[in-house]
């Protein structure tokens, strides 16, 4: 239960880092207004023509937050086990999802990175560049995450325990994301569930390979094994986040924002380039 709760918390924090802190804050800083903000979609009403910085902001802030979480792992006390595990998961989701998204944009020509290169030619070469960049950083992020998993696992690094440390948060975060997507009313159910599955099951897929990847790694200063027992405090936080996340991402608050600005019912999600009003996944 504790692994599942922390997995959901880390995933929810990662997605809101991308959408709210990345796209949303950039929108406000550029003088725009956030008229739609959920875990997989942000829409900004800009006063005029703008560049593609808002797309880069989501990816950059999310990956940067992953690097910052990596640093935090070295600053926490070894006995702060649950907090260390949460920051490790937050690091993993941020780093893998952000550059998994870059590679995905290169393959599908859809998403934030695809908008950034929309006007560049030859387009197919730039798409190939996204795939190469996304795949390379994704692999390097897996290496970093595997090294931290080795340190976190302590002296008891048996295959079964390591598999539980990665499989349980991965599966629960994915199921939680898809359930949230099914309740979303700002876009079609198929699109919402697809985005949720892509960001969780798809973007986080590399986490399942970390136990095998860490086997051949040398690690200094591994701490004694500490198991993550249930914590009522963490459980309450997870329960609150689940309820808020489910309600907020259903679209109710977003529709209120849209109505307040006289936008009425928002159109289906789309990706535009240099348009006054953008919606992005």
């Amino acid at each position: 239960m504790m692994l599942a709760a922390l997995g959901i918390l880390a995933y929810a924090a990662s997605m809101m880092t991308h959408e709210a802190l990345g796209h949303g804050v950039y929108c406000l800083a550029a003088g725009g207004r956030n008229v739609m903000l959920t875990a997989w979609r942000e829409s900004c009403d800009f006063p005029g023509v703008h560049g593609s910085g808002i797309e880069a902001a989501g990816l950059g802030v999310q990956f940067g937050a992953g690097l910052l979480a990596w640093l935090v792992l070295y600053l926490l006390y070894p006995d702060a086990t649950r907090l260390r595990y949460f920051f490790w998961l937050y690091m993993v989701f941020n780093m893998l999802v952000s550059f998994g998204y870059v590679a995905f944009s290169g393959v599908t020509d859809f998403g934030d990175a695809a908008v950034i290169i929309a006007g560049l030619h030859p387009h197919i070469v730039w798409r190939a560049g996204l795939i190469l960049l996304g795949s390379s950083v994704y692999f390097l992020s897996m290496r970093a995450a595997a090294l931290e998993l080795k340190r976190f696992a302590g002296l008891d690094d048996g295959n079964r325990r390591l598999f539980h440390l990665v499989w349980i948060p991965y599966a629960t975060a994915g199921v939680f994301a898809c359930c949230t997507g099914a309740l979303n009313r700002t876009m079609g159910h198929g699109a919402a569930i697809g985005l949720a599955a892509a960001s969780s099951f798809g973007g986080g897929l590399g986490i399942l390979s970390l136990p095998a990847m860490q086997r051949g790694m040398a690690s200094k200063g591994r701490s004694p094994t500490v198991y993550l027992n249930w914590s009522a405090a963490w459980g309450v936080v997870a329960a609150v986040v689940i309820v808020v996340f489910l309600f907020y991402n259903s679209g109710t608050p977003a529709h209120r924002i849209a109505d307040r600005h006289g936008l009425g019912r928002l159109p289906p999600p789309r990706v535009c380039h240099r348009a006054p009003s953008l919606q992005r996944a």
Side-chain angles (χ1 to χ4, degrees):
M1 288 292 291
M2 194 73 264
L3 300 182
L6 292 174
I8 290 174
L9 285 174
Y11 171 79
S14 173
M15 297 313 298
M16 294 313 295
T17 297
H18 181 107
E19 298 294 346
L21 296 184
H23 295 319
V25 171
Y26 185 98
C27 172
L28 296 175
R33 296 180 300 176
N34 285 299
V35 295
M36 170 64 71
L37 182 61
T38 68
W40 309 286
R41 182 182 176 195
E42 185 274 346
S43 180
C44 181
D45 181 25
F46 277 98
V49 178
H50 67 91
S52 56
I54 191 169
E55 283 80 19
L59 296 169
V61 169
Q62 188 175 29
F63 186 74
L67 294 177
L68 183 60
W70 190 6
L71 174 63
V72 170
L73 287 175
Y74 288 85
L75 302 178
L76 294 174
Y77 289 109
D79 57 351
T81 313
R82 298 182 189 90
L83 190 59
R84 287 172 55 215
Y85 184 65
F86 167 78
F87 272 102
W88 179 76
L89 287 175
Y90 182 63
M91 163 194 164
V92 171
F93 279 123
N94 278 333
M95 296 174 74
L96 296 189
V97 172
S98 59
F99 272 86
Y101 193 12
V102 171
F104 174 82
S105 292
V107 172
T108 63
D109 203 23
F110 169 86
D112 291 348
V115 174
I116 294 173
I117 67 166
L120 302 178
H121 300 283
H123 193 61
I124 189 65
V125 174
W126 283 97
R127 287 180 62 183
L130 289 183
I131 296 172
L132 179 61
L133 174 64
S135 301
S136 300
V137 179
Y138 192 94
F139 177 76
L140 292 175
S141 298
M142 288 176 60
R143 296 282 298 180
L147 179 60
E148 294 308 318
L149 176 63
K150 192 176 190 72
R151 291 195 181 105
F152 183 85
L155 302 177
D156 182 6
D157 58 355
N159 290 340
R160 183 175 180 181
R161 179 169 187 266
L162 288 175
F163 189 68
H164 285 169
L165 286 173
V166 299
W167 183 85
I168 292 177
Y170 169 77
T172 52
V175 171
F176 169 69
C178 291
C179 290
T180 306
L183 297 175
N184 187 284
R185 293 181 292 169
T186 66
M187 63 185 84
H189 285 313
I193 295 174
L195 287 174
S199 67
S200 54
F201 286 124
L205 184 62
I207 193 174
L208 298 182
S209 300
L210 300 185
M213 183 176 284
Q214 59 84 44
R215 287 195 186 104
M217 292 181 171
S219 177
K220 297 180 180 179
R222 279 194 296 170
S223 59
T225 301
V226 179
Y227 291 91
L228 284 84
N229 298 319
W230 175 254
S231 165
W234 280 98
V236 170
V237 172
V240 171
V241 168
I242 289 172
V243 172
V244 172
F245 208 75
L246 289 171
F247 171 74
Y248 185 84
N249 286 284
S250 69
T252 301
H255 283 131
R256 289 175 181 171
I257 293 174
D259 291 339
R260 188 181 307 145
H261 291 290
L263 300 178
R265 184 170 179 81
L266 292 172
R270 57 192 172 89
V271 176
C272 302
H273 184 58
R274 297 184 181 274
S277 181
L278 292 186
Q279 298 174 41
R280 61 197 50 77

